[in-house]
Each structure stands twice: as structure tokens, then as C-alpha cells.
Amino acid sequence: MGAVREPERCRDVFGVLREVVVEDVGEFVTPGSVLEQRLVHVDGALFVRKYVSRAAGARDPRRYDLLDREVRAGTRLGQVFKRLYPRELARLAAYNLDVEEPFALLHAYHGEPAIGPASRFAEDERRRFEQELFRALVLTAAAGVVHGAVGMEAVRWQEGRLQLVDFEHALRVGDPRWDASSPDGAGRTGARADPRDDVWDAARLLRRVSLGPHADGPVLDRARDPERLRVLLDPVFDNPVELRPRAAEVLAALRGDPSLPPTTDPEAGLGPGRALFDQVSAAKGGPPSPPPARPPRRGRRGLRLFSLLAVAVLTATAPFGKGARR
Amino acid sequence: MSTSEVFVLDLRDGADQPPPSPSGGVVVLDRADTLVEHAEVYLGLLSEEMVTAVVCVAVGEPARDDGPGGVALTAPSVLRNAAVLWVGDERGVDWAPGDAAPRPPERPGAALEDLVAALRVPELFDRVVELAEGRSVSPGVRLVSCAVDPAEEAAARAAAVRSLCADDQPVGEDFGAALVEAHVPSTRDGAVLAGRVHAVQLDVVRRLNHVTELARALGTPAALFGTRRPTEEIGKHVLWAGQAVENYRQVVVELLDRVDGHVQIGRPPVEDVLAMGVSPPVEAAGDQVAADLRRAVDAQLDAGAALPALAHELRLLSARTGPQGCTAALEAARLRGPLSLEMPEFPRWPLSLWTLPLVLSCCAVVAYLLGPGWAGWVGGALLAACWSGAGWLVLARRPRAEGEAGAVAAAPVALATFGAVAAVGVVGGALGALAQPSPFTSGWQVQAGVWSAALLSAAVVVLGWRSAVHQWRARLRLAAMHDAVVELTGLAEDAVAGQWRPLRRRRAIAAAADEVAAGLEEVATALRGAQEHFCAVPRGTTVDGHDRMMRPVPAELYAVVRGDVVEVCRCALEPAWPAATSALRTAPGVYEQRLNRLIDEYTGDIRRHGLFAAARADRDEAARDALMARVWAETPAAAQALRVGAGGEMTQLCRSGQLRYLSTSAEPGLLRFAPARLRRVVRDGGAHQGFAADLAVTWGAGGELIGALRLLPLRVESVRHDAGGGE
């Protein structure tokens, strides 16, 4: 029986509508994904198709949100890094969320889930893993994306190369947290998503890789951590998110490659359009006017001084007034 | 020739085929009516040089054409000189020679199986051959098994596997401490810095010491009157010393950076680190590390540690002992800078202005005492000149960063202050003497007054300068610079001694611990996976023909089984040690494969030889002895079986009607036997110590049967030797 080939309409990361022929290859599973996945061929290349089937969506509507997050993160990363897309991050190719069974097409992942080889890392591989992990976080932070579920299940490994995948819990930096999306609330102390949320998760993962799965219990007992981990990770674990070191700082301590590929600000191109919108809005009466600005503090202070002066003058002149009446 | 191994060949119904190259003793199970047919087989076995002896166990009725004329057994002639045990009936009858009334066996069961099991014990096999060689005999047995209940054994195995795979069994926190201490010494041996770092360190120490010497010399007369005065050069030396300290800090930072970089990511190369003047890392003795680690792991396993917990400890050991880098030291050294030695300002007035009233007074007193007249004027002027000169001198010698203040610059200031005040004092004293002459008229009184004023002036000048020097020295941060140097040296030496020098040893320990941890994790996972079939009760296995009542697993049995399972795991882990020695990784799945194979071997071994004689019993003799003692104590029938005589009641392996084939005149052979382990147990104590010294008891190295075997010869006329077949 030949593989099923179906034409699909979808949009690339820039929103351009395309039609592709998708040929199903087989089942695909990653430990960090809740969504259903298939391996597919598109134009001879291998892709991962993440989707929400009708039945799964009816059973668990939360999956639509997960796919939405994957697509939002993927488009953002794709727009920021464009052609020189870093291999450390899963790459979204296309998506369609407006169909009955919404899906996202991602370029085939590298390697295998790190959970297998990580238990047999030699020292140099472990160091490499650490650097690659924090480099991936430097890249997501540069794109303004918070992965939200960095862990052993979300990383893949192949010959010294790491890839961060499964952005199903991802948020844009500054988005309000969606607690239900967080697999682990620890380390997330702010109200809004911060790239340093991922640093905390990565620090946990780093401990696990160094000390084994036993070290990654629900409560972190760091009393017997080796000196190297304490120096490196104490600032991460001991500080709230605002004071926590950034991924780039940890990467520097790990002596990793700090260079970034060229990035583009996707918002920059929207400037003229937004200006035009404001102009048109103003011509039509404008959008609802913002509340009046608070009066400057200087004016308020002047009013207070004037009132004080007036009271003083009145008090001083009161006896003369009385004397005059006498 | 004693037999070392006994092989059982079952020719009944064609169950077995003769092995291609048999060796040792051979027990042949055959049907009584097919002995002659198998003559070729017997001939083959008996002619084999590696076969020490053949015992034929002929089972069943004689051929129809043999009876009822009194022939019980027709054997081929080739067996004429072999031992033939005729088992007329597998159930047998309970009977004692001389007792005319045989009874059905009390414990009908596997008497034949027990007999064959007993014959598997080489010592017993040899004795049977000795007693029955060239004869056909009817065996009577009285056997008690000391085998462990398979259900209990399975329960013990399950408990042992659970214990070994438990996640919550902590291991002692000092695990690996001795190993680390032996291979990564905590001393600073070899940490002495050399080369560039040492040169810079020497330079900074020399410069700081020079500044110290100059500062000390400031308080001496040489500072004021010498030709090479310290006041001239101390400023620039202080500056240079500060720069040297900062230079040293930068060199130490560079050293730490290189060490940390190499340890963390292998860059820069070793040569670049060595170029900083440190000794090369000491070599690692991989075999010694592996041997020490093995001892530590074995000790933990023997102490009851669970595999996952031990693996976790090994991971911790790897992480804690592996190269840590010196990031903290590097950060500390970076934060220490930039270092500099400030030149503190020397007191603006080395002779305090508070001395001016004293100057005035002294000059006035001298002029007054010596006046009126020219003596007063001259004496006062001399003292005034001294005061002015002293003031000018200390102001001129005042050290600054760029050198002394200088005589020219100091002269107007000295004249304007000390000179002017002294002049006023002289004029005042002289005029006072004119107005009212001194009441001190005697010479000694005047001299005493003058000298007192002069000496007081001199003392004030000297003390004033020294006080200024002391104040200045107190503000000079030489001690802080020394401390900084000591601290930086300590950081560098700690990094070199703790991280750089033992780098290879740390790596060797970490790699070995990682490998063994990975092996233990794989073994634990495989053991969990194999638990179902490893811990299953073999089908149809009962002890003594009936099921025992379930009870908690005896501690002795648990100890033996756990020891065996640990030993299996230990063997499965075997490839870890060569890998640990060479810091190479074993391919994934190797440990799992080995464990599964070893489990199969172990269960097969137990099935064939029993728990007491299993091949992996070499490490836990004491545990097995304890179990044997318990079984012996719980089985009084075993002692009775060992006491039975040749005329005692046994299960004779024939039917009551076949007893007539047995000779009543020939002396029966009697073998009493037990496992050698039992001999050790009874010898060590208890009420049955006599057994241990009983020479008539055959102590077998293996087997789990205790009891007696009676070999009653068949009547001569009951045995016919067929001339055909193998003849």
C-alpha cells in the first residue's frame, strides 16, 4: 500500500500562503510533546507534522493552545533568524491553524532524545552539552521567546550537537504566565514570562546530567553538589528571576560560544504601517483618547506652595484686621 | 582414579544420545529389557579413556522371556565388570533385610530421581562403583533432601531483587573518600609556582620589601642628612610596587584563566598553561583507580547497598572528584583588582605648627637669661637660627610622589614661620632683659636654663619628624599589598594543587565512576526487567513431594540468595573495570546482555546442582553454612537417615514380589552420605558432632541429599549375561 499523499494549504513563518503535498511516512514520538506527531515528506524533505486530531481536540481542548504556542514561538524564531537559522532550535516550516485538524510542519529534528545518551556522557560530552544548552537559551532569549519547558525531554542530542525542540509551552517574553502551561512552577517567580525562567530549568537539567536522575527530585538537595556546579548554579537557584543570571552569563562562565547569528527585528518593518494606522485613525476621529496625563508634579508643588503662602499671609494679617476693627 | 564430574545419560525411550566425547563418571539410565540392545553404547562408554567408570541403572521388569525362571536381569557381557543397579520398581517398598513383611513406601515419590541425584555426587559415585563394580545390585535408599523450598527461594530472590533495585536506600556519604584521598591529595605538593608567575611574584615581593626598607629609613638621620636619602626616591618606588602588585594580579588571573579554560573546555592547550610556570599534571594510574573503585563498590554491595543508590553515589563521586575548574578563584582574582599602592601624603608640617609657641618661648628664654647685652642677642639668635634651619630641613626633606619638596621651595615657608617666630622670641627676650634683668645671677642657673631650652628644642625637632614619619607609614598600605600578594598566590597555588596537578587523576576517577555508574544503572534496569522470570517458582517443584506451608523467608536463605544475586550483578558489571582502567566506554546494552545470560546460567546451575552447590557460592560460604545449619536443625529426619544401618528399613527399589531375586547370603553394601558443608556445620557445634568424625560417612562436595544407600546384590542366578551385543 503506497503512502498517502495529500495537498495541504498552509502558511510559512512569514504568513505567506502556500500549498504543499504532504506524504505520510510514519509515527513519530518525542518525550517532550503532548501533541500527536507524524513524520512526513514534503518535496522529498523530511518534516515533523504536529497536529491536533479531531478526537484528541475534543478530548483535550488544551492541545489547541499547545499547538498555538508552538506556532507562535516557531514563527517568531523563524522571523528573527530568517535564513541563518540556528541548528540548536527546532525550526518551524509552515502551519495552518484554520482547519479542522490544525497542524504545524517542522523541519526534521536532529539526533535522538538526549535522555538516552545523557546517562553515558563522558566528561567532555557533558561540558559540550552544557554549552550547547545555554547557547540554545541565548538564542531563544535573543528572539524574545521563553521555551517554558526546558528539560531532558525537550532536548535532542547528536554527536556533540544539541537541539531544543517542542515549544508547546513557549511564551513571548513579557507575556503573562499561563500557569497551567508550566510543567513546574518552581523558578517562575514573576508575573510575566522572562527568559530567565528557562535558565532555572536549564540549571536543573544541568544538575541532572552531571549527577544523574536521582539528583532531580521534587526538592533539590544541593548540599552535596560539587564545587563547579555550586559556583555555576547557586546564583541561578538562589535568586528570584529578576536577579538571576541570564543565559549569556552562564554561557560565558561555561566558556561557550557567545556569538549570535544575524537577527532581524520583525517589529521593525511594521513601523510605517503602524504610523499610517495612527494617521488614518486620527483622520477618522482617532482611537479612543487616552486618559489625560497626570499634571506635572511641579504644578502640584506650586499649588501647595501657593496655598501655604496664602494661609501664612492670612494668619499674619489677622491681628491687624482685628486691631483695625477695634 | 577419583571422578570429578558425573554425567547422566538417559537411554530410556531414546531420551538421550551418548555424548560425542564423554568424560568422568557416567550414570546410564536404561530400561531393564533394553540393556542388551544398548550393548554398543555401553561398550563405547567403557572403552572411552576419559570415562572413569560407568554405573548402569536398569529400570523396570525383566524381559518376559527371562521370567519366571528366576532371572531378574539380562545384561550384556560388556557390563559384566561394571556396576549395575537394578531398579525393579521406581516406587519401591519399605523393607529391611530379614523383615519378611515389606510395606508400601511411607513417602512415595521420586526415589529413583533421588538415587540418580545422589549418584551425581562424584564422591558417592566413586563409592558406589567401589562397592558394586562387577555386580548387579538392588539399591535401597533412605534419603532426606536439604534442598530449599523453591517457593521460598523464589520469594527470597524477589526480595533480593527488590532490595537491589530500591531507589531509597542511601549509601554512606563517605563513599569514595578513601579513593579520592589516595589519588587526589589535599596537600599543596607540586603547587610551587615557577617561571613567569614566580618571576613576577619575586619582583613584587622585592619591590614591596624595598619600599618597606625605605619607609623604615625615613625615621633615621640618613633621611635628613644622608647623600642618598630615602625621601628622594620612596615616592616612585611606592608607585612601582603598586604597579608590580597589579601586574602580579594580572599574571595570576592569566594563569587561572588558562587553567580553568583547559580544565573546562580543553583550551588553551597544556603547553600554554605550562608556559605560565606550573608543573605538568601528574600521571593517572588508571588500573589503580579502577582497582580501588572496585574495592569500594564491592564493599558497598556487600554492605547491602542498592544498585541505583550506588550508581547515584558514583555519579556524585564523579561530579565532585572530576575537574572542577577554578572559576571561583578566577572571579575572586578578577574582583581583587585593579590593585595599586597609593603614596600617602606626608604631613604638611613635619614640625607641627603647635611647636611655634615653644619656639617663641625657647628663643625668648635664652635671650632673656643671657641678656641684657650682646650675649643675649647672640644666644637667642643662634637658637632662632637652629629652629629656622630645622624647620627648613624637615620641610625640604618632606617626601612626595615625585620626590622631595626641595630646599628652595621650603626656605621661604620655614623663614616665614619658624624664623619669624624665633626672631620675635629673641627680640622679646632681649628687650625683657633690658627692662628687667634676670633674677638668676649665678652662672650655673643661667647655663641650666639655656641648655634646657636648647635640648628641649632639639628633642622636639627629632620627635616631631619621627612622629610625622610614623603617621605617614601608618597610611602606607604595604600590609594590604602583602596580603593581596599572599591571597593571589594562595588562589594560584590552590588552583594548581587542587585542579591542575591532579587533573588527569581527577579525570580518571570521574571516567571510571561514570562508567561503573552507567553499568550499575543498566544492570539495575535489566534486573528489574528480568524479575518476572528470574523470581518465578519453577513449575511442579515441591520439596519432599509436598508443598510446605508458606512462611516469611528465613533470614539465612535471604542472605544466600541476595549474595548470589549480588554476585550475578557483580559478574555482569565485569566489563566496567577494564573500561574504567582505560577510561573507555562500554557499548550500551553490554551489561544488560551479560546480566540476562548470567541469570540464565545461574538459574540453570541452581536447577541442576541446588542452591548449596551453585557455582557462585564462592563468596558466601558463611551464609550457606548458616542456611545449612538451619535446614539441618529443621530436618530431624536427616540425622535419622544418617544413622540407619545396612539392616535398617529403607525404600528398596523393587516390588515386594521381586525381593526374591535379592541375595540373602551376600553382605549388603552400605553408603551413608551427606554434603561436605553439613560436616562443617555439625563439626562446629550441636548434638551431632559425632557425624563429622564418622569415617563411614561419605561427604560429597555437592548435592543436597542426606541419607543412606544400601546395595543388596542380586542372586547369582537372577542375573544372566548375554554373550551377544558388545562381546
Side-chain angles (χ1 to χ4, degrees), chain B residues 98-131:
Chain B
D99 184 351
R103 293 180 291 108
E106 254 181 38
R107 295 161 61 192
L112 177 61
E113 278 181 29
D114 285 351
L115 173 67
V116 174
L119 288 173
R120 279 182 188 274
V121 180
E123 293 84 356
L124 192 60
F125 177 88
D126 286 341
R127 290 282 290 139
V128 167
V129 169
E130 191 182 312
L131 290 176

Side-chain angles (χ1 to χ4, degrees), chain B residues 694-706:
Chain B
D694 190 344
L695 296 175
V697 177
T698 301
W699 302 99
E704 294 183 316
L705 290 170
I706 302 169

Side-chain angles (χ1 to χ4, degrees), chain A residues 148-150 169 179-185 188 201:
Chain A
V150 173
H169 297 93
D179 287 334
S181 74
S182 293
D184 185 344
R188 293 168 172 76
D201 290 339

Side-chain angles (χ1 to χ4, degrees), chain B residues 35 69 92 124 220 229-230 233 322 364 477 515 523 608 675:
Chain B
L35 290 182
L124 192 60
T220 63
R229 296 180 298 277
E233 51 185 15
R477 294 171 45 247
E515 175 60 35
V523 167
R608 277 191 299 278

Side-chain angles (χ1 to χ4, degrees), chain B residues 214-283:
Chain B
L214 290 175
R216 193 179 299 123
L218 279 184
T220 63
L224 296 172
F225 305 109
T227 49
R228 291 194 59 192
R229 296 180 298 277
T231 48
E232 281 179 323
E233 51 185 15
I234 193 165
K236 64 185 179 191
H237 281 286
V238 166
L239 183 68
W240 289 345
Q243 286 170 347
V245 174
E246 171 59 11
N247 189 26
Y248 181 58
R249 187 191 69 84
Q250 288 177 1
V251 170
V252 168
V253 166
E254 177 69 19
L255 168 67
L256 294 174
D257 188 49
R258 290 187 187 189
V259 169
D260 191 56
H262 183 83
V263 169
Q264 298 256 19
I265 56 170
R267 289 194 304 272
V270 176
E271 294 72 28
D272 286 8
V273 185
L274 296 181
M276 296 298 293
V278 296
S279 315
V282 288
E283 290 300 326

Side-chain angles (χ1 to χ4, degrees), chain B residues 40 92 117 130 183 193 202 252 358 378 389 411 419 423 491 539 555-556 565:
Chain B
E40 290 284 347
E130 191 182 312
H183 294 277
L193 302 172
L202 284 182
V252 168
L358 180 71
V378 169
L491 289 173
R539 282 184 184 175
E556 295 87 349
V565 180

Side-chain angles (χ1 to χ4, degrees), chain B residues 22 51 87 98 108 115 156 207 230 250 253 289 310 341 385 434 440 467 481 580 590 610 673 699 721:
Chain B
V51 173
V87 177
L115 173 67
R207 287 182 183 281
Q250 288 177 1
V253 166
V289 168
L310 191 50
L341 184 58
L434 284 175
F440 304 111
S467 168
M481 290 296 106
V590 166
F673 59 92
W699 302 99
H721 285 99

Side-chain angles (χ1 to χ4, degrees), chain B residues 318-408:
Chain B
S318 164
R320 291 167 71 96
T321 313
Q324 304 292 307
C326 48
T327 313
L330 179 59
E331 196 61 24
R334 279 184 177 145
L335 289 175
R336 202 70 175 76
L339 290 167
S340 61
L341 184 58
E342 302 288 331
M343 172 72 182
E345 193 184 2
F346 203 83
R348 180 76 184 84
W349 297 98
L351 290 181
S352 169
L353 291 178
W354 291 106
T355 57
L356 291 179
L358 180 71
V359 173
L360 183 80
S361 309
C362 287
C363 291
V365 165
V366 169
Y368 179 73
L369 287 177
L370 294 177
W374 63 270
W377 286 104
V378 169
L382 277 175
L383 187 59
C386 286
W387 266 113
S388 303
W392 168 73
L393 186 66
V394 295
L395 282 172
R397 298 288 185 259
R398 184 171 160 264
R400 296 180 308 171
E402 56 276 13
E404 290 179 343
V408 177

